[in-house]
């Protein structure tokens, strides 16, 4: 898919435009580390600025589409069928600490189904895209989920509940079970990139609870277009509603779901 469809071209252009500001801001973060409050305020401003850029670009290209954004919340559109779901900076803690692992995430929902997604890491210049029926790509190279069939050979990605968030005990129970059954666990701090890495075959499976829709929206369609399977923690498809997600190829997603359910039951 070297030539993007019109809607994908719009999404890629919006991501690239917002990325220019984030690249500049990322370069400035290290200079602010002398004061405690400075960096956090700066990152919040960078986040909002990126979101404003994306909002303006998408609104100009597709007037009438609705929005669900991390910073700006929900914006009703005159077109009730379409909604953009946007995280302008997924991995803010990484950004704040000058760790070059964060992304812009833009998903398009049509009649309640995710139909297109873009996840872009401005620092590595990796653009992951997927559109329903078009396949998934990393910088115009087609990507596929990993083919491993056993959890024991797999690298499993996850997310850790932040301070003050629910689910620490449940997570530790799940983590203990997963660590006993796989080749390695990774926690990189950006859910959108976790899903992008599943699509690219870098991770074999991934799970996380208590996410927001904008953390997952783009990644859901990219993983599916890469031949992967995505569900919520109960094996259903209400990821955006429940905030839980499990992703991988068909075998490993099923194995991970079974393992997590068993761990939770044991408590």
């Amino acid at each position: 898919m070297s030539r993007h469809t019109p809607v994908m071209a719009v999404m890629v252009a919006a991501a690239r435009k917002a990325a220019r500001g984030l690249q500049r801001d990322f370069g400035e973060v290290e200079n602010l580390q002398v004061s405690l409050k400075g960096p956090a305020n700066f990152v919040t401003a960078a986040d909002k600025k990126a979101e404003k850029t994306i909002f303006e670009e998408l609104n100009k290209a597709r007037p009438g589409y609705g929005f669900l954004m991390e910073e700006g919340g929900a914006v009703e559109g005159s077109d009730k069928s379409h909604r953009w779901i946007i995280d302008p900076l997924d991995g803010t803690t990484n950004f704040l600490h000058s760790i070059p692992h964060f992304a812009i995430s833009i998903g398009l929902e049509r009649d309640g189904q995710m139909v297109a997604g873009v996840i872009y890491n401005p620092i590595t210049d990796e653009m992951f895209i997927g559109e329903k029926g078009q396949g998934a790509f990393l910088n115009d190279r087609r990507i596929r989920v990993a083919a491993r069939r056993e959890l024991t050979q797999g690298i499993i990605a996850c997310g850790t509940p932040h301070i003050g968030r629910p689910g620490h005990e449940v997570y530790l129970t799940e983590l203990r079970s997963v660590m006993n059954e796989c080749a390695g666990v990774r926690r990189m701090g950006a859910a959108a990139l976790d899903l992008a890495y599943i699509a690219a075959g870098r991770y074999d499976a991934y799970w996380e609870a208590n996410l927001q829709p904008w953390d997952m929206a783009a990644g859901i369609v990219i993983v599916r277009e890469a031949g992967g399977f995505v569900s919520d923690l109960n094996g259903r498809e209400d990821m955006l509603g429940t905030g839980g997600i499990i992703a991988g190829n068909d075998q490993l997603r099923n194995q991970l779901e079974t393992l997590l359910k068993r761990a939770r039951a044991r408590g």
Side-chain angles (χ1 to χ4, degrees), residues 97-251:
H97 288 263
S98 302
I99 299 168
H101 190 79
F102 59 88
I104 293 163
S105 175
I106 304 172
L108 177 61
E109 186 183 59
R110 180 181 298 131
D111 298 322
Q113 295 291 314
M114 295 311 307
V115 294
V118 164
I119 296 170
Y120 182 51
N121 181 339
I123 307 305
T124 59
D125 191 29
E126 289 190 318
M127 178 78 72
F128 301 86
I129 67 169
E131 191 174 355
K132 202 171 181 189
Q134 302 283 340
F137 297 81
L138 165 53
N139 295 349
D140 291 328
R141 180 177 55 80
R142 190 179 275 276
I143 51 176
R144 294 284 300 172
V145 292
R148 291 182 192 88
R149 313 308 281 170
E150 298 294 332
L151 267 184
T152 50
Q153 301 165 357
I155 295 289
I156 312 302
C158 64
T160 313
H162 296 304
I163 297 168
R165 292 270 181 89
H168 278 267
E169 290 309 312
V170 173
Y171 167 73
L172 291 172
T173 303
E174 292 173 339
L175 182 62
R176 207 170 290 118
S177 289
V178 173
M179 286 172 73
N180 287 334
E181 298 279 345
C182 72
V185 174
R186 299 289 180 270
R187 192 281 192 264
M188 300 281 277
L193 286 173
D194 288 336
L195 287 165
Y197 280 26
I198 286 284
R202 295 174 178 175
Y203 297 149
D204 296 284
Y206 159 66
W207 95 97
E208 190 161 353
N210 301 310
L211 289 170
Q212 296 295 336
W214 45 81
D215 298 320
M216 303 181 269
I220 288 168
V221 65
I222 296 172
V223 168
R224 285 176 171 162
E225 286 301 310
F229 290 78
V230 183
S231 74
D232 62 24
L233 297 176
N234 300 309
R236 303 191 189 97
E237 292 198 6
D238 189 21
M239 292 78 67
L240 301 189
T242 65
I245 194 163
I246 308 177
N249 66 33
D250 55 343
Q251 294 271 109

